[in-house]
């Protein structure tokens, strides 16, 4: 018997669009680009030959159009894994739930999702301007811990090695970090041989969770030193951002392909930053559009 999704679980607006995104099922392409900043949606869509739809609700702005014959949807998520939870569940619902019957569709529709973002580099090989592909993500957000099947899709030995290295106990590791791989096929297609492949920490905030200290002291003052020194089976942690773990984790649980690529706008190791990155991230956008 097909699973039925009541209105309390899947909220559909009166116009037939999904609750937060305000997107209708027929507007969603199989290829999806996710960006954090709503303003970056227009930058991505400026490369489209045509636009089918354009809709905006809160921090979620969506445009579907065509680029070199490929139908692509670009969606802004805002900041944080909590917003990725909303976006991923609603995109999957648009693809795989019949909005008329509120039942799962007979045939599964797989989406390809690439997040284009910015990040902070943590290693000498990630200076400002570097393009980093998140081969693995360490989720400080704890989001995936709320979903069944979490252990089956995560790299549990990597998780244990990281926690042991950090020496975190009690509140410092609750909810426990999780380690998740991006889609290997997408990595090969998008990252190719001109992006750094690394391990990304998806932090639950911009300041304390990423080791930034302003007026409130950090619980672990050596946090970033330990993160930079961590190594497991040849993997080192390359960068901080705030969404990659939830995107990779939920996509794997749902059966979609997903990955994150970011441009480094600050290197925490050598204390440098570039606030003028918006003029150069278009190179990364065009690279992803050509390869998705």
């Amino acid at each position: 018997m097909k699973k039925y999704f009541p209105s309390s679980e899947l909220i559909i607006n009166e116009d037939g669009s999904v609750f937060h995104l305000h997107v209708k099922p027929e507007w969603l392409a199989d290829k999806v680009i996710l960006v954090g900043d709503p303003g970056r949606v227009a930058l991505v869509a400026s490369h489209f030959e045509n636009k089918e739809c354009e809709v905006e609700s809160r921090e979620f702005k969506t445009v579907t159009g065509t680029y070199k014959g490929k139908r692509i949807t670009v969606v802004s998520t805002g900041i944080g894994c909590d917003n990725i939870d909303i976006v991923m569940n609603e995109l999957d619902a648009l693809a795989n739930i019949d909005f008329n019957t509120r039942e799962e569709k007979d045939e599964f529709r797989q989406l390809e999702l690439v997040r284009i973002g910015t990040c902070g580099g943590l290693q000498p090989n990630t200076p400002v301007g570097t393009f980093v592909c998140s081969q693995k993500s360490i989720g400080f957000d704890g989001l995936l811990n709320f979903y069944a099947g979490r252990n089956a899709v995560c790299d549990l030995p990597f998780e244990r090695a990281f926690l042991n290295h950090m020496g975190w106990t009690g509140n410092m590791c609750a909810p426990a970090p999780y380690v998740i791989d991006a889609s290997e096929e997408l990595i090969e297609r998008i990252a190719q041989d001109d992006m750094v492949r690394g391990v990304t920490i998806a932090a639950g905030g911009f300041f304390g969770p990423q080791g930034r200290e302003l007026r409130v002291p950090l619980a672990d003052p050596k946090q970033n030193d330990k993160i930079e020194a961590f190594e497991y089976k040849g993997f080192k942690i390359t960068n901080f951002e705030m969404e990659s773990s939830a995107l990779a984790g939920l996509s794997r649980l749902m059966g979609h392909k997903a990955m994150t690529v970011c441009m480094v706008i600050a290197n925490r190791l050598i204390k440098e930053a570039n606030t003028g990155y918006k003029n150069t991230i278009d190179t990364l956008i065009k690279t992803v559009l050509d390869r998705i």
Side-chain angles (χ1 to χ4, degrees):
M1 186 175 180
K2 290 184 180 180
K3 186 175 181 180
Y4 177 81
F5 304 93
S7 58
S8 61
E9 308 306 294
L10 173 61
I11 303 175
I12 300 173
N13 299 314
E14 291 183 359
D15 65 353
S17 64
V18 72
F19 185 55
H20 294 94
L21 299 183
H22 280 252
V23 172
K24 296 181 180 181
E26 60 268 25
W27 294 346
L28 178 64
D30 291 339
K31 298 178 184 292
V32 182
I33 290 177
L34 302 178
V35 295
D37 183 358
R40 200 172 294 153
V41 171
L43 183 57
V44 175
S46 70
H47 299 287
F48 291 173
E49 286 100 34
N50 60 66
K51 298 176 185 176
E52 295 177 29
C53 71
E54 188 167 354
V55 63
E56 189 169 2
S57 174
R58 304 187 189 188
E59 60 266 63
F60 309 114
K61 183 173 182 178
T62 303
V63 175
T64 294
T66 304
Y67 176 81
K68 295 184 178 180
K70 296 181 287 190
R71 189 170 183 250
I72 298 173
T73 296
V74 54
V75 184
S76 62
T77 66
I79 296 174
C81 285
D82 51 344
N83 278 10
I84 295 294
D85 183 61
I86 292 172
V87 172
M88 279 305 305
N89 274 283
E90 293 198 351
L91 289 178
D92 180 70
L94 288 166
N96 291 299
I97 296 176
D98 188 316
F99 276 29
N100 293 315
T101 64
R102 291 185 164 275
E103 293 177 340
E104 193 168 352
K105 293 179 179 178
D106 292 328
E107 293 187 9
F108 172 70
R109 179 184 174 192
Q110 186 180 62
L111 303 177
E112 295 181 347
L113 306 110
V114 179
R115 169 175 136 69
I116 302 174
T118 56
C119 67
L122 292 169
Q123 299 294 339
N125 69 330
T126 57
V128 169
T130 303
F131 296 163
V132 179
C133 158
S134 302
Q135 187 171 356
K136 288 180 177 287
S137 293
I138 303 176
F140 279 12
D141 53 284
L143 177 69
L144 218 63
N145 299 331
F146 288 90
Y147 289 91
R150 170 254 197 254
N151 285 357
V153 299
C154 288
D155 189 334
L156 302 184
F158 196 117
E159 291 176 12
R160 288 192 291 270
F162 178 74
L163 276 176
N164 289 338
H165 173 83
M166 298 300 291
W168 285 349
T169 58
N171 290 340
M172 283 301 298
C173 62
Y178 59 94
V179 178
I180 186 78
D181 291 336
S183 163
E184 291 183 13
E185 190 276 325
L186 271 186
I187 290 172
E188 292 302 319
R189 194 197 319 164
I190 304 295
Q192 296 188 12
D193 58 358
D194 53 7
M195 296 185 188
V196 172
R197 302 185 189 192
V199 180
T200 299
I201 288 179
F206 184 76
F207 290 94
Q210 295 188 35
R212 289 185 174 90
E213 182 176 317
L214 298 184
R215 292 203 317 112
V216 181
L218 298 174
D220 182 358
K222 299 292 185 181
Q223 171 182 310
N224 279 19
D225 292 337
K226 290 188 284 186
I227 286 171
E228 290 159 11
F230 175 74
E231 186 171 352
Y232 177 74
K233 292 187 176 180
F235 286 102
K236 288 188 175 183
I237 297 170
T238 48
N239 58 319
F240 270 126
E241 53 87 76
M242 298 177 66
E243 291 86 18
S244 62
S245 58
L247 174 60
L250 288 175
S251 294
R252 194 163 287 272
L253 288 174
M254 294 170 177
H256 303 300
K257 295 180 180 181
M259 66 172 292
T260 292
V261 292
C262 289
M263 186 176 78
V264 177
I265 63 168
N267 187 285
R268 308 296 298 284
L269 189 66
I270 60 177
K271 312 294 184 186
E272 69 171 0
N274 173 26
T275 57
Y277 66 89
K278 292 183 179 179
N279 297 323
T280 56
I281 198 169
D282 196 42
T283 301
L284 179 57
I285 289 171
K286 286 186 283 189
T287 300
V288 172
L289 283 171
D290 284 334
R291 296 176 181 177
I292 191 171

